[in-house]
Amino acid sequence: MTPELLARLQAARAAQRPVVLLTRLSDGEQHLWPEDALPGALADAAQQALNSDRTAQFPLDGEAWFLQPHNPPLRLIIVGAVHAGQALAPLGAAMGFAVTVIDPRGSFATSERFPGVTLNHDWPDEAMAALAPDARTAIVTLTHDPKLDDPALDVALKSPAFYIGALGSKRTHAKRVERLTELGHDATAIARIAAPVGLDIGAVTAPEIALSIVAQIVARRRGK
């Protein structure tokens, strides 16, 4: 790899920009996509490598190319240091997500209740704005308190987060829709919210609810 290409790759990773390093196996020629222009078929293959987050080989004009995606880390932002959050955090970490729990209530968001988890005690709108959710981020609100959930959802709906979920019954969500509409979100944007959150597995307990949520997040990430 040339020093110039290495510097560009390092800069992309530092800025958390998704890129693909392509290497032609016959002679070692390399490109960084999407910064470098590529033939359409090779660019499509690079996009697929990013989407799947897996290395791949692709043949082009009789030459084999090795595609190595460099995606930003997956993130799971949980708003609400409640029992379901305690069960969801380790499941999210096991799925490869960097987990952050937001809750300004210091007695809830403690290292004793969330060992090894990044805790943020700012108000959800401030915390979410600082975290800047991207297309590799899943967001789940769990508090049942509009004062905490709604500001977080307001920021989430303005972000490219690939998953947004909110705990609550259909009746609770109907009232939430009214409030988010008053904040200026249209029906298409609000439809991004998974509510009631989680796959329908008949979950009752906090661990079961967490399992249904993480399963839905994985399904959404895999395009299911």
Side-chain angles (χ1 to χ4, degrees):
M1 182 182 296
T2 66
E4 181 269 343
L5 185 59
L6 177 60
R8 288 201 287 141
L9 175 59
Q10 291 175 331
R13 297 188 66 175
Q16 298 195 349
R17 293 195 309 272
V19 295
V20 178
L21 178 65
L22 300 98
T23 304
R24 190 161 61 193
L25 297 181
S26 62
D27 59 5
E29 179 178 326
Q30 291 185 306
H31 295 284
L32 198 63
W33 186 86
E35 295 182 4
D36 298 339
L38 297 174
L42 195 54
D44 290 344
Q47 183 63 64
Q48 287 186 334
L50 274 185
N51 293 344
S52 65
D53 206 14
R54 293 178 179 174
T55 59
Q57 285 196 31
F58 185 79
L60 181 70
D61 298 331
E63 299 278 6
W65 288 81
F66 182 72
L67 284 61
Q68 185 175 8
H70 292 265
N71 271 311
L74 290 166
R75 292 189 293 168
L76 170 59
I77 298 174
I78 302 171
V79 179
V82 296
H83 291 308
Q86 285 181 280
L88 179 58
L91 285 176
M95 294 300 110
F97 289 79
V99 180
T100 298
V101 173
I102 299 172
D103 201 318
R105 301 168 296 185
S107 60
F108 284 67
T110 66
S111 57
E112 289 77 16
R113 298 182 73 231
F114 290 88
V117 176
T118 300
L119 302 176
N120 188 314
H121 296 106
D122 293 336
W123 281 93
D125 53 345
E126 298 172 351
M128 290 283 292
L131 289 170
D134 57 20
R136 302 262 297 168
T137 304
I139 301 163
V140 182
T141 64
L142 297 174
T143 75
H144 281 300
D145 185 344
K147 295 194 302 296
L148 298 176
D149 285 351
D150 287 4
L153 291 171
D154 183 32
V155 177
L157 290 175
K158 297 172 183 173
S159 80
F162 77 91
Y163 178 89
I164 303 171
L167 188 66
S169 66
K170 291 182 179 178
R171 182 178 179 182
T172 297
H173 186 61
K175 294 179 180 177
R176 180 186 295 130
V177 169
E178 292 177 2
R179 296 192 300 271
L180 292 173
T181 300
E182 291 176 357
L183 291 175
H185 297 287
D186 62 23
T188 300
I190 294 173
R192 293 175 61 199
I193 302 174
V197 70
L199 296 181
D200 184 5
I201 59 171
V204 176
T205 67
E208 290 171 351
I209 293 170
L211 177 62
S212 73
I213 294 172
V214 80
Q216 191 174 47
I217 291 173
V218 171
R220 189 70 57 85
R221 179 171 174 252
R222 298 299 185 191
K224 300 297 184 181

